[in-house]
Amino acid sequence: MRICVCLLWTILLLGATGCIEIIDDLSMNADGSGTFRYTVNLSSSKVKVNSYLSIDSLDGKKVPEKADIIVRIDGIIEELRKQEGITEVTFDGNYTDYLFKLKVDFETVEDLQVAVKNVIKAEYNANKIEELNHNWLSYKGGALVRSVPKMTIYKVSELSSNDIDLLKNGNYLSITRFTSEIRECSNEVASISKNKQAVMLKSDPYSLIRESSLLDITIELADTSDTN
Amino acid sequence: MASMKRLHIFTLIITALLSASHGIAQQSTDLIPEGAISVVSLNNVYLLQKISLDELVRYDFMEELQQELFDGSTSGKTLKESGIDFDQRINIFQGWNQEYTIAGFSFGIDDQYTLFETFDDYEPIESSYPDVQIFASYFNRIAIKGNAAVLFRVNPDIQVVRDITDSIWFASGNDYPWYEMLIEESGYEKHSFWNDLHSEEPIDPFDTPEHSDFPIAEEDPTQKTYYELLDSIQTSLHGIWLDEMVRELFGEQRNLVRSSPQFASQLNNPSEGIFYFDNTRNIDMQQSMGSMGYLEPSFYQKLRSLYDDNMILGDLTIQDQSVNLELEVRYNEKLGSIYTELTDAKFNTRVLKYIHKDNNAYLTCNLNSEKAYQQAFEVIVPMFSGSEDDFGLLALSWEILDEFVNKKALFSTAPGSAFVTYGGIQQVKTRKIVFELDEETYRYTEKEEEAEENMPVFALGVTTDRSDLAEKVMKRLIGGPSGLIEHEDYWEVPNAIFEAAPLYFLSKNGLFIVTNDQNLVTENADGYGKNALSKKSAKRAMKSSAVYSYINTGATADNLPKGLFSDQENEVIDVMRGKPGTMEITSSETLETSTNFNITYRYEGDDAQATAYVLDLINSLYVITK
């Protein structure tokens, strides 16, 4: 009977499906400071996430326990709080619906970028990652240049082909907001909000893996005084 | 004189003929080592010739040999084109002891030149036996005698290798200075934490790319590092045990056919293939059992005696559109007496009402737990009672507990039959969080809405004479931390499955059922009626003694999402995907020393598919017994 229960559990694991939604939201203030919000929504995949977490290993790899993940994330948040130019770091982890929200206030985009790099170095012992020499954010002369760090993509590309389906069904939203109006932006697929103060780029994690420059964008403001 | 000469010539001719016939008589089955614990022996010439080596090496049972077969030299070739003689059996074997594992296959040779075009990495090496040729490639060997060959490899147990290495390393006055260095300088510990979350293997401080930077054993640069020492010992052990296997097979003529009369007898069966698994030796050779034998010799001996003569023998036959595997499970009378009592139960037909005729898979079993308990008590307790150790105390505790527990009441909660069904994938209602964007500002707000996720639907039920006890427990749980809700006829735990989907409990008609199928508890609480199993299917389930199972393999495999399998596993499952077929498992009456299980795989399609089905079965056996 125990074998039957195990079999059933396996069947349950196998049947679960779902997808992932990521929102990366950068709000710039007139003085160059701002707020960065990063939201990962797995609520439509919670059956799948819970099924993963209920097993010891998958595809020959150990599956972390929920407690391990919490410790790991707490470590990252603590490291982020130590960074210069970074304030008001909050993290809201909803482990029932698997909705994770990170909010970080920064003094300059450079501070944000350095902070992210430092956290990566500290947590992953990743001094040798070439991408850390690259800049993903700059804000000068009324123009903001953004891209998605390639190492995120490298990390995702390590996923097995099986996980790729999950990413294909997912959403990646990149939103950049300002306190003044936007004059133009470089990415043709970007859309500007009706109040002309926000730009949104939409993709899916799978397309991003294949073409990391999909979300590269340069946004120019109408009023160049709204810059540092 | 002339007559003497004629006699001499005659003697020479006879000797030559005998020698020749001896060479021809050398069979591939004679080259299965004595240490083989699991063997699959195939003699279906027609089937195996068709399979390509590329397909063959995808199976788990070929994994030990993949080093050679994946090197490209076999690409596009079939077994027929590899110089193998299909008039002889192909025997795939594996074995293990507390020091090493062996794996390989023995086969007949049709054309040695062609054989080595396939196995082109092999080089001849010196043989101690004049009638045996030996070829080597890394840790693989091919030994040829007459027109039979065996390809094998030996893998030393890494713990044995490490124990020897450590012993030499420490005896030479070395310590582990590099370990501290590794943590401090490479940040290995932090790095390993993340790896640890993703790796099934335990962290091995030796197994890092930086090992070439490890300090040498001594100041003398000719001394080996720890890793070099470990490699040397592993290589030496490989050589020793490979030689040992050759000596056993060809020097001492020791092989499985000679050492196991059961295996020798099995070879005479007129089937396409046979399966042999010696569970007694399997248990003996397990490291954990070895440790137990060392720490608790008396306990080990007594426990071990239960597993004397424990063996599984199987015959694989191919009939019209079906592959049949008949397994005979053998055991000794002690264990047999428990099994006999366990299966001495009358089939309760109530379970059949709850199996839908369209279920993708279902299983019924029929066990008498009360009688099995009683027999286990009578067999096991006397083995340990009276002994002075902790196990004697445990036996005494069991005896006392047995006196006080109301066994009648306990076993009447689940007295006999049970069923499990798998109804395929259905969509179940869950909740998800979505973000709604304001087009004016691109601000977003969070909203919860209904969602649907795919969920396999199952039911599990046991017969009970005391449904009142189950109902009491369920009533007690209402409103508790489980969130159990009582409905008119059933109970529900709303987010029981992965915190997302409900689980239902039903106590009705002498059955206690657990399911995630709402339709079953709301619409079919008294069974499926005319939609239940057909009389014919029900009869087959009832006829099978302890266990019966039916699986619609095509439909079940189609429903299994690829996402949760590795690429290699998917290759095996892909064989069944999209191919209509069924599998039926039945069991015979349990006898004192054996029980038969029959697995029948029925497929639709041409006979060419039979090869894939046969290999699927072989692979399943290999994986199960590995």
Side-chain angles (χ1 to χ4, degrees), chain B residues 35 41 59 63 212 290 527:
Chain B
S41 176
Y59 287 95
E63 69 183 353
S212 57

Coordinates of all heavy atoms in Angstrom, one line a residue, chain B residues 35 41 59 63 212 290 527:
Chain B
G35 N 29.9 -14.2 -10.3 CA 29.4 -13.1 -9.5 C 28.2 -12.3 -10.0 O 27.8 -11.4 -9.4
S41 N 19.0 -12.9 -20.4 CA 19.6 -13.7 -21.4 C 18.6 -13.8 -22.6 O 17.5 -14.2 -22.4 CB 19.9 -15.1 -20.9 OG 20.4 -15.9 -22.0
Y59 N 19.3 2.6 -23.5 CA 18.7 1.9 -22.3 C 19.6 1.9 -21.1 O 20.9 1.8 -21.3 CB 18.3 0.4 -22.7 CG 17.1 0.4 -23.6 CD1 17.2 0.3 -25.0 CD2 15.8 0.4 -23.0 CE1 16.1 0.3 -25.8 CE2 14.7 0.4 -23.8 CZ 14.8 0.3 -25.2 OH 13.7 0.3 -26.0
E63 N 24.2 1.1 -19.8 CA 24.9 2.3 -19.4 C 26.4 2.1 -19.0 O 27.2 2.9 -19.2 CB 24.2 3.0 -18.2 CG 24.3 2.3 -16.9 CD 23.5 3.0 -15.8 OE1 23.0 4.2 -16.1 OE2 23.3 2.5 -14.8
S212 N 44.3 20.1 -8.8 CA 45.7 20.1 -9.3 C 46.5 21.1 -8.5 O 47.7 21.0 -8.5 CB 45.7 20.5 -10.8 OG 45.1 21.7 -10.9
G290 N 26.6 -5.9 5.1 CA 28.0 -6.2 5.5 C 28.3 -5.6 6.9 O 28.8 -6.2 7.8
G527 N -20.5 4.2 -6.0 CA -19.9 3.4 -7.1 C -20.3 3.9 -8.4 O -21.2 4.7 -8.5

